[in-house]
Amino acid sequence: MNSKNVKALLGTELPIIQAPMAGVQDSKLAIAVANAGGLGSIPCGMLSPAQVIDEVKRFRAAISAPLNLNFFCHELPPFDTRAQARWHELLAPYFDELGIAADLGQGGASRMPFNHEIADAIEAFKPEVISFHFGLPQEELLKRVRSWGAKVISSATTVAEAEYLVARGVDGIIVQGVEAGGHRGMFLSDDVSTQVELEPLLTEIASRVDAPLIAAGGIGDGHAVQAALAMGACAVQVGSAYLLCDEANTSSLHRAAIENAIKVEGSTALTNLFSGRPARGLVNRAMSELGPINDVAPAFPYATNLMAQLRKASEARDTSDFSPLWCGQNVGSCKKISAGEMTLALMQQVMQLE
């Protein structure tokens, strides 16, 4: 299990990171996983600096354990009014059906990249781990983070991305297989055909780079944990398996969709409809009728604005037709138990298999 590497990298007893899942969790889930010996994570990409501070304070008040704060570090493109108009033209029939008028304004970027304002907010807390999605921030920001003594980890979805991260001195790499729920961490290419399953990706990256590796994607039981560790990972990152846990903020509609999907094969797909970037979620009406990947969707994160308006109106009618139901391929791993139980069960299964 290489527990020495895990302790040095994460500061935890167990080689399990709770994946940061924006929109379906807050510090409660992170606290529960940390209490069980894993690394709790707080997704910060959709929070204001003040909200990040509040979440960190809640975690610190509840437990003395390492904490991972996760940020996006994409480049925010200028708002494109023409692209938004084309997007509205495609979605107009749904606005008509729901009887609402579309707001074509920018609506504020729902996902902000890591910046100095956020760094100012969290510096005093000296978080033990900072993880990034979509590459790495500018070198000046990266130096700031390292000056706090934080371990820096980031996601790679290809060998080229892993080599890029190693060249920039990351402390660990999250190897994200295509099975994983939520946004792909891809940043050197927008070609989804480059995305492969965890097993071949982890095997190749382990043979090509010299860095601690964290396996992510479809991991929801002890067999998957053991397999990842045997292939060269020093830890695993588990996300979707926690979606039905007591401490998750997963909505009732999202929970119902997961429970239904457990009975159905091929119930997830990669889609760019909800944000403009590929992300894995449960197939719903929007994905079925518009196609999971649609070239009309504006650049990340501006596809969100109009879809969020449809989502709000649809959810008010008790449907998830336009909701981003993020979930990985291994839907069956989702269980209605506490996150602490889930974390410990994963490791107990590993011990029994050894």
Side-chain angles (χ1 to χ4, degrees):
M1 190 177 294
N2 215 343
S3 58
K4 183 178 179 181
N5 283 355
V6 172
K7 190 74 175 178
L9 179 63
L10 308 178
T12 60
E13 294 301 324
L14 301 183
I16 293 179
I17 300 176
Q18 163 252 313
M21 298 181 288
V24 294
Q25 67 139 129
D26 57 21
S27 54
K28 292 192 300 294
L29 184 62
I31 291 165
V33 172
N35 268 319
L39 180 65
S41 305
I42 296 175
C44 303
M46 295 175 66
L47 303 180
S48 69
Q51 289 172 321
V52 174
I53 290 172
D54 286 344
E55 288 299 307
V56 175
K57 284 182 175 178
R58 288 190 184 99
F59 183 94
R60 294 291 197 220
I63 185 171
S64 174
L67 172 63
N68 170 35
L69 298 183
N70 176 258
F71 299 94
F72 295 146
C73 48
H74 57 287
E75 290 187 11
L76 194 62
F79 183 70
D80 187 334
T81 54
R82 290 185 179 179
Q84 200 72 3
R86 289 193 299 272
W87 189 220
H88 175 249
E89 184 178 0
L90 181 66
L91 300 179
Y94 298 124
F95 280 92
D96 292 341
E97 176 187 326
L98 292 166
I100 59 173
D103 177 359
L104 295 181
Q106 182 171 343
S110 59
R111 296 169 175 87
M112 295 300 293
F114 188 66
N115 56 42
H116 281 290
E117 182 184 5
I118 297 171
D120 289 342
I122 64 173
E123 185 167 6
F125 297 101
K126 292 189 169 16
E128 290 79 7
V129 181
I130 298 287
S131 62
F132 293 109
H133 216 47
F134 312 137
L136 291 169
Q138 295 173 352
E139 186 61 30
E140 183 184 358
L141 276 166
L142 209 50
K143 286 180 180 177
R144 254 192 99 171
V145 171
R146 289 195 174 106
S147 74
W148 309 335
K151 298 291 186 181
V152 174
I153 59 178
S154 185
S155 299
T157 68
T158 63
V159 173
E161 288 175 350
E163 291 173 337
Y164 175 99
L165 296 175
V166 167
R168 283 152 185 80
V170 297
D171 297 292
I173 297 171
I174 302 163
V175 179
Q176 189 190 35
V178 76
E179 305 96 327
H183 281 92
R184 307 298 305 146
M186 54 199 302
F187 61 92
L188 290 183
S189 169
D190 58 7
D191 180 2
V192 293
S193 71
T194 63
Q195 305 298 285
V196 299
E197 293 180 344
L198 176 61
E199 183 175 347
L201 181 63
L202 179 59
T203 300
E204 187 170 7
I205 288 178
S207 71
R208 297 277 290 274
V209 305
D210 183 17
L213 304 180
I214 299 151
I219 296 175
D221 59 34
H223 290 279
V225 175
Q226 185 187 51
L229 299 177
M231 286 186 288
C234 72
V236 298
Q237 181 166 277
V238 179
S240 298
Y242 289 113
L243 284 171
L244 294 183
C245 287
D246 304 337
E247 299 85 355
N249 292 337
T250 315
S251 71
S252 57
L253 286 172
H254 197 163
R255 287 174 183 267
I258 291 170
E259 291 180 44
N260 288 334
I262 289 173
K263 311 164 192 172
V264 182
E265 288 287 332
S267 55
T268 71
L270 291 179
T271 180
N272 67 341
L273 297 180
F274 301 103
S275 72
R277 269 184 182 261
R280 182 171 296 281
L282 300 171
V283 176
N284 60 4
R285 180 186 173 193
M287 292 165 66
S288 295
E289 294 182 0
L290 298 171
I293 301 292
N294 194 301
D295 292 340
V296 181
F300 181 90
Y302 298 116
T304 303
N305 183 28
L306 291 178
M307 288 299 289
Q309 295 172 49
L310 293 174
R311 173 186 182 178
K312 182 179 179 181
S314 182
E315 289 184 351
R317 298 185 179 195
D318 206 30
T319 76
S320 56
D321 289 349
F322 301 96
S323 305
L325 305 170
W326 302 144
C327 188
Q329 281 185 355
N330 191 8
V331 185
S333 65
C334 301
K335 301 288 191 301
K336 293 181 177 179
I337 57 177
S338 74
E341 284 181 81
M342 173 67 74
T343 305
L344 293 174
L346 288 170
M347 291 314 302
Q348 287 166 359
Q349 291 168 17
V350 172
M351 298 302 181
Q352 290 167 2
L353 290 168
E354 288 181 345

mmCIF file of all heavy atoms in Angstrom, residues 185-204:
data_model
loop_
_atom_site.group_PDB
_atom_site.id
_atom_site.type_symbol
_atom_site.label_atom_id
_atom_site.label_comp_id
_atom_site.label_asym_id
_atom_site.label_seq_id
_atom_site.Cartn_x
_atom_site.Cartn_y
_atom_site.Cartn_z
ATOM 1 N N GLY A 185 -10.418 16.683 -16.301
ATOM 2 C CA GLY A 185 -9.369 17.628 -15.955
ATOM 3 C C GLY A 185 -8.484 17.997 -17.125
ATOM 4 O O GLY A 185 -7.455 18.643 -16.955
ATOM 5 N N MET A 186 -8.851 17.615 -18.334
ATOM 6 C CA MET A 186 -8.026 17.809 -19.528
ATOM 7 C C MET A 186 -7.695 19.282 -19.732
ATOM 8 O O MET A 186 -8.548 20.151 -19.566
ATOM 9 C CB MET A 186 -8.715 17.229 -20.755
ATOM 10 C CG MET A 186 -10.117 17.738 -20.993
ATOM 11 S SD MET A 186 -11.136 16.687 -22.087
ATOM 12 C CE MET A 186 -10.160 16.644 -23.584
ATOM 13 N N PHE A 187 -6.420 19.553 -20.118
ATOM 14 C CA PHE A 187 -6.017 20.948 -20.288
ATOM 15 C C PHE A 187 -5.040 21.186 -21.424
ATOM 16 O O PHE A 187 -4.818 22.328 -21.822
ATOM 17 C CB PHE A 187 -5.434 21.502 -18.978
ATOM 18 C CG PHE A 187 -4.200 20.780 -18.481
ATOM 19 C CD1 PHE A 187 -2.930 21.205 -18.840
ATOM 20 C CD2 PHE A 187 -4.322 19.687 -17.644
ATOM 21 C CE1 PHE A 187 -1.799 20.561 -18.377
ATOM 22 C CE2 PHE A 187 -3.195 19.017 -17.166
ATOM 23 C CZ PHE A 187 -1.931 19.453 -17.535
ATOM 24 N N LEU A 188 -4.453 20.147 -21.985
ATOM 25 C CA LEU A 188 -3.549 20.335 -23.118
ATOM 26 C C LEU A 188 -4.251 20.125 -24.445
ATOM 27 O O LEU A 188 -3.703 20.442 -25.505
ATOM 28 C CB LEU A 188 -2.354 19.375 -23.012
ATOM 29 C CG LEU A 188 -1.350 19.652 -21.894
ATOM 30 C CD1 LEU A 188 -0.189 18.671 -21.972
ATOM 31 C CD2 LEU A 188 -0.833 21.089 -21.942
ATOM 32 N N SER A 189 -5.456 19.593 -24.402
ATOM 33 C CA SER A 189 -6.235 19.352 -25.611
ATOM 34 C C SER A 189 -7.706 19.384 -25.250
ATOM 35 O O SER A 189 -8.077 19.101 -24.105
ATOM 36 C CB SER A 189 -5.882 17.981 -26.202
ATOM 37 O OG SER A 189 -6.792 17.614 -27.236
ATOM 38 N N ASP A 190 -8.551 19.756 -26.224
ATOM 39 C CA ASP A 190 -9.993 19.681 -26.003
ATOM 40 C C ASP A 190 -10.611 18.524 -26.792
ATOM 41 O O ASP A 190 -11.829 18.447 -26.951
ATOM 42 C CB ASP A 190 -10.675 21.004 -26.351
ATOM 43 C CG ASP A 190 -10.430 21.438 -27.796
ATOM 44 O OD1 ASP A 190 -9.837 20.638 -28.567
ATOM 45 O OD2 ASP A 190 -10.830 22.562 -28.152
ATOM 46 N N ASP A 191 -9.772 17.614 -27.250
ATOM 47 C CA ASP A 191 -10.201 16.468 -28.032
ATOM 48 C C ASP A 191 -10.573 15.318 -27.091
ATOM 49 O O ASP A 191 -9.696 14.698 -26.483
ATOM 50 C CB ASP A 191 -9.074 16.044 -28.975
ATOM 51 C CG ASP A 191 -9.434 14.841 -29.841
ATOM 52 O OD1 ASP A 191 -10.582 14.359 -29.741
ATOM 53 O OD2 ASP A 191 -8.565 14.386 -30.608
ATOM 54 N N VAL A 192 -11.871 15.027 -26.966
ATOM 55 C CA VAL A 192 -12.304 14.003 -26.015
ATOM 56 C C VAL A 192 -11.844 12.599 -26.422
ATOM 57 O O VAL A 192 -11.846 11.684 -25.588
ATOM 58 C CB VAL A 192 -13.839 14.015 -25.835
ATOM 59 C CG1 VAL A 192 -14.287 15.285 -25.157
ATOM 60 C CG2 VAL A 192 -14.562 13.807 -27.143
ATOM 61 N N SER A 193 -11.426 12.426 -27.673
ATOM 62 C CA SER A 193 -10.948 11.108 -28.091
ATOM 63 C C SER A 193 -9.619 10.751 -27.424
ATOM 64 O O SER A 193 -9.193 9.591 -27.456
ATOM 65 C CB SER A 193 -10.793 11.043 -29.615
ATOM 66 O OG SER A 193 -9.698 11.832 -30.060
ATOM 67 N N THR A 194 -8.958 11.732 -26.788
ATOM 68 C CA THR A 194 -7.706 11.463 -26.073
ATOM 69 C C THR A 194 -7.961 10.847 -24.701
ATOM 70 O O THR A 194 -7.025 10.405 -24.038
ATOM 71 C CB THR A 194 -6.904 12.765 -25.868
ATOM 72 O OG1 THR A 194 -7.668 13.664 -25.025
ATOM 73 C CG2 THR A 194 -6.609 13.456 -27.191
ATOM 74 N N GLN A 195 -9.212 10.825 -24.268
ATOM 75 C CA GLN A 195 -9.547 10.376 -22.925
ATOM 76 C C GLN A 195 -9.732 8.860 -22.898
ATOM 77 O O GLN A 195 -10.522 8.305 -23.664
ATOM 78 C CB GLN A 195 -10.825 11.074 -22.458
ATOM 79 C CG GLN A 195 -10.740 12.598 -22.530
ATOM 80 C CD GLN A 195 -9.657 13.159 -21.621
ATOM 81 O OE1 GLN A 195 -9.799 13.211 -20.405
ATOM 82 N NE2 GLN A 195 -8.546 13.579 -22.213
ATOM 83 N N VAL A 196 -8.990 8.201 -21.999
ATOM 84 C CA VAL A 196 -9.009 6.741 -21.936
ATOM 85 C C VAL A 196 -9.329 6.270 -20.526
ATOM 86 O O VAL A 196 -9.355 7.046 -19.565
ATOM 87 C CB VAL A 196 -7.665 6.142 -22.399
ATOM 88 C CG1 VAL A 196 -7.373 6.528 -23.838
ATOM 89 C CG2 VAL A 196 -6.523 6.599 -21.485
ATOM 90 N N GLU A 197 -9.552 4.970 -20.402
ATOM 91 C CA GLU A 197 -9.904 4.392 -19.116
ATOM 92 C C GLU A 197 -8.714 4.407 -18.154
ATOM 93 O O GLU A 197 -7.557 4.500 -18.558
ATOM 94 C CB GLU A 197 -10.415 2.967 -19.313
ATOM 95 C CG GLU A 197 -11.740 2.918 -20.060
ATOM 96 C CD GLU A 197 -12.245 1.505 -20.245
ATOM 97 O OE1 GLU A 197 -11.456 0.551 -20.074
ATOM 98 O OE2 GLU A 197 -13.445 1.353 -20.564
ATOM 99 N N LEU A 198 -9.040 4.280 -16.874
ATOM 100 C CA LEU A 198 -8.032 4.426 -15.825
ATOM 101 C C LEU A 198 -6.916 3.403 -15.921
ATOM 102 O O LEU A 198 -5.738 3.754 -15.801
ATOM 103 C CB LEU A 198 -8.702 4.345 -14.448
ATOM 104 C CG LEU A 198 -7.758 4.391 -13.240
ATOM 105 C CD1 LEU A 198 -6.965 5.699 -13.208
ATOM 106 C CD2 LEU A 198 -8.534 4.194 -11.941
ATOM 107 N N GLU A 199 -7.251 2.132 -16.116
ATOM 108 C CA GLU A 199 -6.217 1.092 -16.068
ATOM 109 C C GLU A 199 -5.085 1.316 -17.066
ATOM 110 O O GLU A 199 -3.914 1.368 -16.660
ATOM 111 C CB GLU A 199 -6.844 -0.292 -16.264
ATOM 112 C CG GLU A 199 -5.821 -1.409 -16.149
ATOM 113 C CD GLU A 199 -6.433 -2.798 -16.224
ATOM 114 O OE1 GLU A 199 -7.670 -2.910 -16.122
ATOM 115 O OE2 GLU A 199 -5.664 -3.766 -16.387
ATOM 116 N N PRO A 200 -5.362 1.479 -18.367
ATOM 117 C CA PRO A 200 -4.235 1.722 -19.287
ATOM 118 C C PRO A 200 -3.552 3.057 -19.050
ATOM 119 O O PRO A 200 -2.334 3.172 -19.219
ATOM 120 C CB PRO A 200 -4.892 1.671 -20.671
ATOM 121 C CG PRO A 200 -6.336 1.922 -20.435
ATOM 122 C CD PRO A 200 -6.632 1.347 -19.091
ATOM 123 N N LEU A 201 -4.329 4.069 -18.627
ATOM 124 C CA LEU A 201 -3.743 5.386 -18.386
ATOM 125 C C LEU A 201 -2.788 5.348 -17.201
ATOM 126 O O LEU A 201 -1.654 5.850 -17.280
ATOM 127 C CB LEU A 201 -4.851 6.415 -18.135
ATOM 128 C CG LEU A 201 -4.398 7.856 -17.889
ATOM 129 C CD1 LEU A 201 -3.682 8.426 -19.108
ATOM 130 C CD2 LEU A 201 -5.584 8.733 -17.506
ATOM 131 N N LEU A 202 -3.224 4.730 -16.112
ATOM 132 C CA LEU A 202 -2.390 4.643 -14.914
ATOM 133 C C LEU A 202 -1.137 3.820 -15.185
ATOM 134 O O LEU A 202 -0.024 4.199 -14.775
ATOM 135 C CB LEU A 202 -3.198 4.034 -13.769
ATOM 136 C CG LEU A 202 -2.476 3.832 -12.434
ATOM 137 C CD1 LEU A 202 -1.936 5.152 -11.895
ATOM 138 C CD2 LEU A 202 -3.421 3.193 -11.411
ATOM 139 N N THR A 203 -1.313 2.716 -15.901
ATOM 140 C CA THR A 203 -0.164 1.856 -16.211
ATOM 141 C C THR A 203 0.879 2.608 -17.030
ATOM 142 O O THR A 203 2.091 2.526 -16.746
ATOM 143 C CB THR A 203 -0.638 0.607 -16.989
ATOM 144 O OG1 THR A 203 -1.576 -0.118 -16.196
ATOM 145 C CG2 THR A 203 0.540 -0.288 -17.324
ATOM 146 N N GLU A 204 0.439 3.353 -18.036
ATOM 147 C CA GLU A 204 1.390 4.059 -18.898
ATOM 148 C C GLU A 204 2.043 5.228 -18.164
ATOM 149 O O GLU A 204 3.257 5.436 -18.267
ATOM 150 C CB GLU A 204 0.710 4.559 -20.168
ATOM 151 C CG GLU A 204 1.708 5.150 -21.155
ATOM 152 C CD GLU A 204 1.122 5.439 -22.513
ATOM 153 O OE1 GLU A 204 -0.106 5.320 -22.686
ATOM 154 O OE2 GLU A 204 1.910 5.805 -23.411
#
